[in-house]
Amino acid sequence: MLNPKRNSPAKARMAKSKKAKTTRKSKLPKSKTEGVSRLEARIPTNVYRDAERAAKLRGLTLTAFVTTTISEAAHRAIEETSIIRLARADQIAFAQALTNPPEPNARLLAAKRRHAALIGK
């Protein structure tokens, strides 16, 4: 005989519901080395609507669109500050300085002596 307090159909549904909630998989792709972080931002309503519209046009969820857009912008910003771009004349001058360095001047030789005295050869 079933114990009404322990095996009621309502309790069975609740247990199943709780299990389903805990085993539901995220739709965000996860690599084995990366976790997922949460980002909250207050943005103007028109920006939010534009983002939703752009996401729909690309066939993405808003989360996927924001993630992709932020990632692209972050990589671009990092690249812009990490890469030094030289004009052609500057590239030539830099290469010539590397291949034919000038003779060390008196200040450089003095610095070399101080370094040797402090650090050793």
Side-chain angles (χ1 to χ4, degrees):
M1 180 154 100
L2 290 175
N3 183 340
K5 289 185 180 178
R6 297 184 86 198
N7 298 321
S8 72
K11 283 194 175 195
R13 279 193 306 273
M14 284 177 51
K16 187 176 180 182
S17 161
K18 285 181 182 177
K19 185 177 180 183
K21 286 180 184 176
T22 58
T23 59
R24 189 182 319 160
K25 293 191 178 188
S26 171
K27 293 185 180 187
L28 291 174
K30 288 185 183 179
S31 73
K32 293 182 181 183
T33 59
E34 261 182 51
V36 175
S37 297
R38 184 170 184 82
L39 173 69
E40 293 185 36
R42 295 197 183 277
I43 58 174
T45 303
N46 64 324
V47 173
Y48 183 84
R49 286 185 189 136
D50 289 346
E52 279 186 316
R53 184 173 180 211
K56 286 179 184 175
L57 290 171
R58 288 194 180 175
L60 299 171
T61 64
L62 182 58
T63 298
F65 176 77
V66 169
T67 302
T68 303
T69 305
I70 288 175
S71 179
E72 290 170 357
H75 285 106
R76 194 169 41 254
I78 291 166
E79 182 180 299
E80 287 171 0
T81 59
S82 299
I83 296 175
I84 299 171
R85 301 190 193 282
L86 298 175
R88 179 105 170 109
D90 295 329
Q91 291 175 20
I92 292 169
F94 181 74
Q96 286 177 345
L98 289 176
T99 56
N100 301 314
E103 293 295 320
N105 62 19
R107 289 179 63 185
L108 182 58
L109 292 172
K112 181 180 175 185
R113 285 191 296 276
R114 284 192 310 275
H115 178 269
L118 288 172
I119 305 297
K121 292 186 179 185

